[in-house]
Amino acid sequence: AQSVTQLGSHVSVSEGALVLLRCNYSSSVPPYLFWYVQYPNQGLQLLLKYTTGATLVKGINGFEAEFKKSETSFHLTKPSAHMSDAAEYFCAVSEKGKTSYDKVIFGPGTSLSVIP
Amino acid sequence: GAGVSQSPSNKVTEKGKDVELRCDPISGHTALYWYRQSLGQGLEFLIYFQGNSAPDKSGLPSDRFSAERTGGSVSTLTIQRTQQEDSAVYLCASSLASNSHEAFFGQGTRLTVV
């Protein structure tokens, strides 16, 4: 069964600094990988996803993530943090190659704070 | 509708009462998910529907929890004999059939059991 871990339940960065949010997954088959963001008092929205093809995926708001099979990782990065990036970030995985009757599993989330 | 709609947005109930939470997915989305988000916790998977069928109910915490989906559209999550530990935000999401597709989330129902 697939699972997701996110190292660091809370990350603080200074405005303008690099953002790095870590995600590692386990999956018995090649995965689909997702990053979602949840702003305060709002629902989740998709930042980016990896399904096939290029392993470096670009998403909205300047975020990107790289699928590294050898490391079973899908870390999220942004070169320069903005105050508006403060939110909860969730990494998620589902399993490719099975039937479409499969669930998406979410990690525990990382709360990002941006310090002025 | 334009997005996933959940109702009510907030629900306060007394311990021992039954509650029903409703989810209207995006039209045409055959996959529907229910998750639970407790304070400071991640997203706990509850149940997944493909059409009206629930291939995976493994996340339901106890037999007090049940869910159904009718007409391949609206879904209802029912919690019987609510307990204080059931207090959480219940999130519904829908997507196109394949699990490679983006899941669109509703705003959630905040359930408080007093």
Side-chain angles (χ1 to χ4, degrees):
Chain A
Q2 68 270 42
S3 65
V4 181
T5 56
Q6 292 182 241
L7 184 62
S9 59
H10 188 90
V11 171
S12 291
V13 299
S14 297
E15 190 174 16
L18 171 72
V19 176
L20 170 61
L21 304 181
R22 299 179 185 274
C23 172
N24 289 87
Y25 68 90
S26 66
S27 177
S28 59
V29 298
Y32 297 130
L33 295 160
F34 308 82
W35 275 100
Y36 285 82
V37 61
Q38 184 179 31
Y39 297 104
N41 300 314
Q42 295 188 28
L44 280 75
Q45 64 182 84
L46 184 71
L47 269 181
L48 50 79
K49 69 176 182 181
Y50 167 78
T51 54
T52 60
T55 56
L56 181 62
V57 180
K58 296 186 184 298
I60 61 172
N61 300 337
F63 284 94
E64 62 183 37
E66 186 172 11
F67 168 54
K68 292 187 176 180
K69 183 180 178 180
S70 61
E71 298 178 7
T72 61
S73 69
F74 191 57
H75 301 330
L76 182 70
T77 60
K78 181 175 180 177
S80 177
H82 191 272
M83 296 298 294
S84 61
D85 295 327
E88 190 83 16
Y89 292 81
F90 293 93
C91 183
V93 64
S94 64
E95 294 191 319
K96 188 187 307 184
K98 292 190 173 181
T99 71
S100 60
Y101 304 116
D102 201 5
K103 56 186 177 281
V104 179
I105 294 297
F106 285 80
T110 297
S111 177
L112 176 67
S113 298
V114 181
I115 304 165
Chain B
V4 178
S5 177
Q6 291 187 246
S7 60
S9 55
N10 279 284
K11 176 71 176 179
V12 180
T13 190
E14 292 181 351
K15 178 181 173 182
K17 300 285 189 182
D18 298 351
V19 295
E20 284 190 353
L21 312 180
R22 177 187 169 102
C23 173
D24 281 276
I26 293 173
S27 178
H29 281 191
T30 59
L32 187 147
Y33 302 84
W34 282 100
Y35 294 90
R36 179 167 70 175
Q37 186 175 27
S38 302
L39 187 63
Q41 301 297 312
L43 288 163
E44 177 187 4
F45 169 80
L46 297 179
I47 189 169
Y48 162 70
F49 287 93
Q50 184 63 245
N52 292 334
S53 300
D56 193 334
K57 305 178 183 179
S58 62
L60 294 176
S62 74
D63 59 8
R64 296 187 295 105
F65 287 72
S66 63
E68 64 176 13
R69 189 179 184 194
T70 56
S73 181
V74 173
S75 176
T76 302
L77 177 69
T78 301
I79 309 173
Q80 296 178 309
R81 304 181 304 281
T82 52
Q83 304 294 314
Q84 288 186 328
E85 61 263 28
D86 299 334
S87 297
V89 176
Y90 290 81
L91 291 168
C92 176
S94 71
S95 74
L96 293 170
S98 169
N99 61 357
S100 68
H101 286 87
E102 173 183 359
F104 291 83
F105 281 80
Q107 298 286 74
T109 294
R110 182 176 299 278
L111 175 66
T112 304
V113 182
V114 297

